[in-house]
Amino acid sequence: MRRHLLLVLLIICCFLLINAKTKDNAISDENDSKTQTKTKSESKVMDTEDGASDRPLKRVKRIDDSADDSVVQKRTAEDDNKPARSSDDSIGDRVMKGTEESTRERRKTSSEDEPTDSNSDEIKAEESDEEQEVTGDEDEPVVGEREERVLTEKERLAVQLYESAVALLNTSRSDRQKAYDLMAESAKLDDEKAMEWVAKQHLFGDLLPIDLSVAKDYFQRLSLRGNANAQLFLGVMHSMGLGVTPSQSKALVYFTFAATSGNTFARMALAFRHWSGISVMSSCESALNYYRKVAKRVEQDVSFSGGTVIQRVRLLDELENPGSFSGVLDDDLIQYYQFLADKGDIQAQVGLGQLHYQGGRGVDQDHSRALTYFTQAAEAGNANAMAFLGKMHLEGSHVVPQSNETAFKYFSMAAEKGNPVGQSGLGLMYLQGKGVDKDYHKAFKYFSQAATQGWVDGQLQLGLMYLKGYGVTRDYRTAIKYFTMASQSGHVLGFYNLAQMHASGTGTLRSCNTAVELFKSVAERGHWGATLMQAHTDYKEGRVAQSYIKYALMAELGYEVAQSNAAFILDRNELPELFDKSETHTRALMYWSRSAAQGYSVARVKLGDYHYYGFGTRVDYEMAAAQYRMASDAQHNAQALFNLGYMHELGLGLKRDIHLAKRYYDLAAETSLDAQVPVALARLKLGLVYGLESLHEYDVNEVLDGLNVQKVLGPDWDLYVMTALAMLLGLVIYFRRLPQP
């Protein structure tokens, strides 16, 4: 009994001690709070005494740096949550419209890798028709605590100059020079946005002359403030050797800092470097980590319309085949289609509507014109036009207000005509419960009908239903089948979902390499891919340096077509203002190597040529032959086969073998019709050489001695010869006397 009583008393004592400790902590927290409030009040009083109280307050974001306790003003870009840039926007030549928007701060609190549905809806709701500057920092996270401070007189003047420049750039073309001067003045006063704008213009040369020293100076100053864009472009400059000595190690450092701040371009650059082993150890898992984050960003931006089409044009193909289709519609052809559409041609109306709805092929995205053409065709009874009108109303934009009811009406009209686009639209509405009750069975029915007709959206959505088990038994293999079909049609979400399944080993064996290749394909379909067409336009209009810098930027991000185009420009020595002639082949060799590593056979042949002739490297016939052999084995390149035949013929880097040379010549002729004429000439030459060499192998006297007539016919050989000649003469006379018909 006593033991129980002692135990109860001990428990009561412990409870009282814990309660007392809790009260002490609460009192301590309250005192700390009062102390902090008092400190802030005293700080405000000190500011007032210093004469700062009569200045207007302006909210400016800053990042606390615990290393040096310095306050760094951070003004982030307002281009977040905007639609993709149109294909004619140049990097760095766009500023946001309106002075109010130029001072608006971005607050992004959601995680990049795990965004909530509400956040995605907010992003889409805030989209407008304003053009977006491609910088690569769209998903840059907020770092540190945000506080308020009072701007100095110098900072206020810099902001005013920047806003005035923005207003002029967005409202008047005649005052552009004045806007540039104001922007330069603001940059000299250390306004971060103005400094970044001026630096990018001097780097890319779109609105200001290319001046790499000025660009480097501003980027270095911004980098010290933690500006991710500046760190990105410094990495690009060090990698390309623009205005600085080339240094892949420094480029890697700058890319790493920018990627840590969430810069999309820096993440792509690091992903490609880890994937290819450029200045780092090759690591599939590291590349997968970076590419997955960028691909997630692209997946979030994909709308029901599918997004802007990215055109990839090779300058080398245009040179060798001037009449080939480059993916860009000619202005005369567009005007012809517009003429047909105005005359009531339904197919022309639908085609132009789709072109303006999605953009691409040299045509800007224009939903107002798309709406006009679709409406005209739908009134004439075209099912495709009805379905696309349903798309526009389901998605909503600044031109067409979002309306589930109207979308359902148009989708139903198109589906009744058996249109797969309309069927897929109805399936999506039933799947997501937009304007109708959720019904997985109806959704599955409509998606199946669309997929049967080969419509890519139906295939994609069926894959998602099997993946998630919506209305059907979860079946990963069937999901992979439909995702594969969607990806073969070029749907970015088909690639994305396949990549996710290969990365996690869902429904298939885990394959890091396959996942990286798929995520890379998704990442390169982001709206920033429009920079490739900007670079192409610059080149066609004679702005070669501007074109090269854009191609080089995209090459750093892993775009193979940009790597080959940058190498093409360097190979033709078209950049005397940027590089010495002695440097161009060395730089071109680097880009040809990266392009060849991604499977471009022409780049592999170029590598062989560079080693054969000693361009940018020493002459190495064996290495040249190895490059030609890789191109011939992997891609059956006719030029590589022909070159191998030539090297076997002369014994350069390979064993001299006339028979193998002829074999390679024959294979080249079989591979390409264009190779038949040079192969025929090579065969003729090879036959002559072979004949002459055969004669040298024999002793002429020995041959003549073997042709001794007396030894062959005996001592009466002259009688045999005379008899043969007499018989021959008799035959000639006989045939001449025959009557002529």
Side-chain angles (χ1 to χ4, degrees):
M1 186 66 180
R2 291 179 181 178
R3 291 181 180 177
H4 291 291
L5 183 59
L6 289 174
L7 182 60
V8 171
L9 290 174
L10 181 60
I11 293 173
I12 293 173
C13 291
C14 291
F15 176 80
L16 292 175
L17 286 173
I18 293 172
N19 190 33
K21 182 64 176 178
T22 303
K23 290 182 179 180
D24 290 341
N25 290 338
I27 294 172
S28 177
D29 292 341
E30 183 178 357
N31 291 336
D32 291 342
S33 177
K34 290 180 180 180
T35 302
Q36 291 176 3
T37 304
K38 182 178 180 181
T39 302
K40 289 183 179 180
S41 300
E42 290 175 355
S43 177
K44 291 182 179 180
V45 171
M46 292 176 66
D47 290 342
T48 304
E49 291 174 353
D50 291 339
S53 60
D54 57 341
R55 298 172 186 165
L57 292 176
K58 187 173 185 67
R59 294 188 177 183
V60 180
K61 296 180 181 180
R62 77 175 188 179
I63 301 176
D64 289 337
D65 190 348
S66 58
D68 56 2
D69 295 330
S70 62
V71 178
V72 182
Q73 180 180 348
K74 183 174 181 62
R75 302 182 62 203
T76 55
E78 318 85 86
D79 58 358
D80 221 25
N81 305 335
K82 301 291 181 182
R85 289 159 43 98
S86 58
S87 60
D88 63 341
D89 292 344
S90 298
I91 293 181
D93 69 343
R94 303 291 176 180
V95 289
M96 302 310 297
K97 299 181 179 179
T99 56
E100 292 183 2
E101 290 183 353
S102 67
T103 58
R104 185 179 59 199
E105 304 295 347
R106 179 181 62 186
R107 296 183 182 274
K108 185 172 184 179
T109 58
S110 63
S111 170
E112 177 191 359
D113 295 334
E114 298 179 356
T116 61
D117 294 336
S118 60
N119 186 48
S120 300
D121 293 337
E122 289 174 3
I123 291 175
K124 293 181 180 179
E126 293 179 4
E127 287 185 347
S128 67
D129 60 334
E130 295 169 351
E131 296 164 322
Q132 176 178 334
E133 181 183 1
V134 177
T135 58
D137 67 341
E138 292 86 353
D139 54 348
E140 179 180 350
V142 177
V143 182
E145 292 293 332
R146 301 302 176 88
E147 298 181 358
E148 297 179 2
R149 70 177 179 84
V150 178
L151 291 178
T152 65
E153 189 67 29
K154 176 183 176 181
E155 291 171 338
R156 285 197 298 142
L157 176 60
V159 171
Q160 291 173 1
L161 291 172
Y162 173 79
E163 292 174 351
S164 299
V166 170
L168 287 174
L169 286 172
N170 288 325
T171 58
S172 174
R173 292 185 176 272
S174 60
D175 293 334
R176 281 187 176 270
Q177 187 58 50
K178 183 179 179 181
Y180 303 157
D181 295 338
L182 291 174
M183 197 71 77
E185 288 296 323
S186 179
K188 290 179 181 178
L189 295 174
D190 290 343
D191 182 85
E192 190 168 328
K193 283 190 172 183
M195 291 169 66
E196 184 178 330
W197 188 91
V198 171
K200 283 189 287 189
Q201 294 308 319
H202 281 305
L203 174 61
F204 294 104
D206 290 320
L207 299 179
L208 298 176
I210 293 177
D211 192 330
L212 300 178
S213 61
V214 173
K216 182 187 72 171
D217 179 62
Y218 277 127
F219 283 142
Q220 285 178 338
R221 291 161 59 185
L222 289 168
S223 176
L224 294 176
R225 301 184 183 188
N227 186 295
N229 285 336
Q231 293 163 347
L232 164 73
F233 291 121
L234 279 175
V236 172
M237 293 179 73
H238 278 89
S239 179
M240 296 190 300
L242 284 174
V244 296
T245 304
S247 175
Q248 298 301 326
S249 59
K250 289 184 178 179
L252 180 64
V253 171
Y254 281 118
F255 286 146
T256 302
F257 276 114
T260 302
S261 298
N263 189 282
T264 302
F265 283 9
R267 285 174 173 171
M268 288 187 69
L270 285 178
F272 179 69
R273 284 171 175 263
H274 282 287
W275 176 237
S276 304
I278 300 174
S279 69
V280 294
M281 290 292 293
S282 179
S283 173
C284 181
E285 295 298 334
S286 297
L288 177 63
N289 179 47
Y290 285 116
Y291 271 132
R292 191 203 299 266
K293 293 178 180 178
V294 180
K296 183 63 177 178
R297 174 71 184 180
V298 176
E299 185 265 345
Q300 290 175 341
D301 291 341
V302 173
S303 62
F304 187 53
S305 63
T308 304
V309 178
I310 305 300
Q311 300 293 337
R312 309 185 187 203
V313 183
R314 294 191 188 278
L315 299 179
L316 181 61
D317 291 346
E318 282 192 331
L319 177 67
E320 295 182 348
N321 304 292
S324 62
F325 175 67
S326 64
V328 180
L329 292 178
D330 186 79
D331 290 338
D332 294 336
L333 185 60
I334 295 176
Q335 291 178 5
Y336 175 68
Y337 284 137
Q338 290 174 344
F339 172 77
L340 292 178
D342 293 339
K343 291 294 184 180
D345 188 295
I346 297 176
Q347 295 303 322
Q349 292 169 349
V350 175
L352 286 174
Q354 291 177 329
L355 196 60
H356 287 294
Y357 178 52
Q358 293 182 326
R361 299 178 67 176
V363 178
D364 295 341
Q365 197 173 44
D366 189 339
H367 280 192
S368 60
R369 301 189 70 176
L371 177 64
T372 301
Y373 287 123
F374 284 145
T375 302
Q376 292 174 355
E379 290 175 352
N382 185 273
N384 261 334
M386 296 174 186
F388 276 97
L389 282 175
K391 272 190 171 190
M392 296 186 74
H393 283 90
L394 180 64
E395 189 175 55
S397 67
H398 61 284
V399 175
V400 181
Q402 201 281 334
S403 173
N404 292 330
E405 182 180 352
T406 307
F408 185 81
K409 180 188 72 173
Y410 280 118
F411 282 144
S412 299
M413 293 168 60
E416 288 175 359
K417 295 177 177 288
N419 183 271
V421 184
Q423 294 166 346
S424 179
L426 282 179
L428 189 65
M429 296 190 75
Y430 279 112
L431 177 67
Q432 299 179 353
K434 291 189 174 183
V436 294
D437 294 334
K438 277 189 178 183
D439 192 327
Y440 292 145
H441 295 292
K442 286 186 177 180
F444 182 82
K445 180 187 74 172
Y446 285 119
F447 288 143
S448 298
Q449 292 174 354
T452 301
Q453 299 186 62
W455 182 238
V456 61
D457 284 339
Q459 296 165 348
L460 174 71
Q461 297 299 334
L462 280 179
L464 289 172
M465 293 189 75
Y466 278 108
L467 176 65
K468 303 294 184 181
Y470 294 153
V472 294
T473 303
R474 182 171 292 183
D475 188 336
Y476 294 137
R477 292 187 178 275
T478 305
I480 289 177
K481 181 188 77 171
Y482 282 113
F483 287 147
T484 302
M485 294 168 65
S487 65
Q488 289 172 349
S489 299
H491 202 297
V492 62
L493 295 184
F495 288 106
Y496 180 79
N497 286 289
L498 275 179
Q500 291 282 33
M501 298 185 76
H502 280 286
S504 60
T506 304
T508 183
L509 291 175
R510 186 180 187 275
S511 174
C512 180
N513 291 335
T514 303
V516 167
E517 291 175 356
L518 291 169
F519 275 134
K520 182 176 184 292
S521 180
V522 175
E524 292 181 357
R525 283 169 166 78
H527 61 79
W528 45 82
T531 306
L532 293 172
M533 286 309 299
Q534 299 167 25
H536 178 261
T537 301
D538 285 340
Y539 186 82
K540 302 304 287 186
E541 295 179 356
R543 298 188 296 273
V544 180
Q546 290 85 340
S547 173
Y548 168 76
I549 293 174
K550 292 184 179 67
Y551 276 134
L553 168 65
M554 303 308 283
E556 290 298 321
L557 307 188
Y559 286 82
E560 183 277 316
V561 69
Q563 293 166 353
S564 63
N565 285 346
F568 171 83
I569 295 174
L570 289 166
D571 188 66
R572 291 166 59 86
N573 194 28
E574 295 182 292
L575 299 168
E577 68 272 32
L578 292 181
F579 309 117
D580 292 334
K581 187 176 181 180
S582 59
E583 301 178 18
T584 55
H585 281 140
T586 303
R587 296 174 183 272
L589 181 64
M590 176 189 71
Y591 285 121
W592 286 130
S593 299
R594 294 183 182 181
S595 176
Q598 296 199 65
Y600 185 38
S601 63
V602 175
R604 185 69 68 183
V605 174
K606 282 288 186 180
L607 280 180
D609 293 343
Y610 272 50
H611 286 288
Y612 184 89
Y613 294 106
F615 292 158
T617 183
R618 64 183 181 85
V619 174
D620 189 339
Y621 293 133
E622 292 184 358
M623 178 60 71
Q627 298 294 335
Y628 294 145
R629 184 174 287 108
M630 283 190 281
S632 64
D633 292 344
Q635 290 94 13
H636 302 287
N637 185 281
Q639 183 65 57
L641 290 167
F642 185 90
N643 292 348
L644 284 172
Y646 183 78
M647 297 184 77
H648 272 297
E649 178 184 341
L650 300 182
L652 298 174
L654 296 171
K655 180 182 178 181
R656 191 171 186 275
D657 190 323
I658 299 297
H659 300 287
L660 275 177
K662 183 179 182 303
R663 176 59 179 161
Y664 277 114
Y665 285 146
D666 292 341
L667 288 174
E670 294 173 4
T671 302
S672 173
L673 294 176
D674 296 335
Q676 291 186 355
V677 173
V679 165
L681 296 175
R683 285 172 178 168
L684 178 61
K685 174 194 170 186
L686 193 64
L688 292 174
V689 171
Y690 182 73
L692 291 174
E693 289 183 353
S694 298
L695 288 177
H696 284 297
E697 291 178 1
Y698 294 98
D699 186 354
V700 177
N701 294 325
E702 183 180 345
V703 173
L704 293 176
D705 186 61
L707 295 176
N708 192 315
V709 179
Q710 189 172 0
K711 290 183 177 181
V712 175
L713 299 178
D716 298 327
W717 63 271
D718 53 340
L719 295 176
Y720 297 125
V721 172
M722 291 176 64
T723 303
L725 290 174
M727 294 177 63
L728 180 63
L729 180 61
L731 289 174
V732 171
I733 294 173
Y734 173 76
F735 284 111
R736 285 181 62 84
R737 287 184 176 182
L738 289 176
Q740 299 296 325

